Amino acid sequence: MKYAGMPMGMWMLFHRSFTHQLTVVLGQSAESAKATEKAAKQEYRRIIARVPDFEPGDRFQMNLVNCAMLCAYVLHMPKRPTVQTLTDYYAKSMMTPAMRWFCRKSGKNKFSDKDIAGMKQAEKFHKCGICVLMKELGLYDLTPAMCRLDYTMAEAGEASDFVREYTLASGGSYCDCGYHKKQK
């Protein structure tokens, strides 16, 4: 995949937040966080270069690009985080004011005909690009930190609760994704 387009855009949108949360959540010094960011940027480009191009309409392409960014940072952190610490770090890095706005805006269209069709398309899958990439990078045990963001984003959308019974990362034979309308 080329770095131009979505991968470059995602870096531009989120790298400052990812770097800032290194100090807030992980306790790195500002100097150490900047060094991690610099190394992560080069790593991110290398990871993106090896990710295959997406099929048109792939609902999970943004998730895989975000996974590449998270992995790039993790690979250059002075200390490997636990799943819980990484879950907190990733949620705080991703849930910027712009992302919260996006989630609320998306929440207003939740359960439209188009949204329901998309949810049906992705409600159950047996292969996950995130799991594949994290295995390749030796970070598979940290995959649940990424999976948890689905719940965080649904909460920010204010229209639905995310529900899941199984994930590949937790040993399930498939991943499932679902949403229940919040009661007003």
Side-chain angles (χ1 to χ4, degrees), residues 124-181:
K124 185 176 174 181
F125 51 95
H126 299 283
K127 187 170 182 178
C128 170
I130 290 169
C131 289
V132 170
L133 181 59
M134 292 198 71
K135 275 182 190 174
E136 287 176 4
L137 297 172
L139 302 172
Y140 187 67
D141 60 306
L142 299 175
T143 306
M146 285 215 57
C147 300
R148 177 63 178 87
L149 192 67
D150 294 324
Y151 296 93
T152 304
M153 290 177 69
E155 289 165 13
E158 302 175 349
S160 64
D161 292 314
F162 184 78
V163 292
R164 169 181 283 143
E165 203 171 340
Y166 302 104
T167 64
L168 294 166
S170 64
S173 59
Y174 60 87
C175 287
D176 56 354
C177 302
Y179 296 86
H180 291 162
K181 246 183 207 178

Side-chain angles (χ1 to χ4, degrees), residues 107-136:
K108 291 178 181 176
N109 296 320
K110 201 66 155 156
F111 305 107
S112 66
D113 291 342
K114 182 180 177 185
D115 186 61
I116 290 171
M119 285 190 286
K120 284 182 180 179
Q121 187 180 30
E123 67 188 347
K124 185 176 174 181
F125 51 95
H126 299 283
K127 187 170 182 178
C128 170
I130 290 169
C131 289
V132 170
L133 181 59
M134 292 198 71
K135 275 182 190 174
E136 287 176 4

Side-chain angles (χ1 to χ4, degrees), residues 13 23 27 44 52 61-62 73 77 88 92 103-104 108 124 136 145 149 169 175-176 180:
L13 282 172
T23 61
Y44 179 62
Q61 61 183 309
M62 188 180 303
Y73 271 86
M77 289 176 181
D88 189 35
K92 288 179 177 172
C103 290
R104 281 191 306 278
K108 291 178 181 176
K124 185 176 174 181
E136 287 176 4
L149 192 67
C175 287
D176 56 354
H180 291 162

Side-chain angles (χ1 to χ4, degrees), residues 17-105:
S17 179
F18 272 67
T19 301
H20 177 69
Q21 294 305 326
L22 290 171
T23 61
V24 174
V25 176
L26 301 178
Q28 281 186 241
S29 68
E31 184 179 294
S32 175
K34 269 304 200 193
T36 300
E37 175 189 30
K38 184 177 180 180
K41 184 174 185 176
Q42 297 308 311
E43 188 72 42
Y44 179 62
R45 287 175 175 260
R46 284 190 293 272
I47 293 169
I48 289 297
R50 66 195 263 194
V51 172
D53 285 329
F54 299 101
E55 295 178 23
D58 183 344
R59 286 182 57 91
F60 298 111
Q61 61 183 309
M62 188 180 303
N63 297 10
L64 190 54
V65 168
N66 292 342
C67 177
M69 184 181 301
L70 179 63
C71 290
Y73 271 86
V74 171
L75 289 169
H76 294 281
M77 289 176 181
K79 181 181 173 198
R80 184 185 173 98
T82 64
V83 172
Q84 186 55 49
T85 302
L86 190 62
T87 299
D88 189 35
Y89 168 78
Y90 184 55
K92 288 179 177 172
S93 295
M94 290 299 296
M95 298 309 292
T96 62
M99 181 60 106
R100 289 186 185 285
W101 173 85
F102 173 79
C103 290
R104 281 191 306 278
K105 185 172 173 18

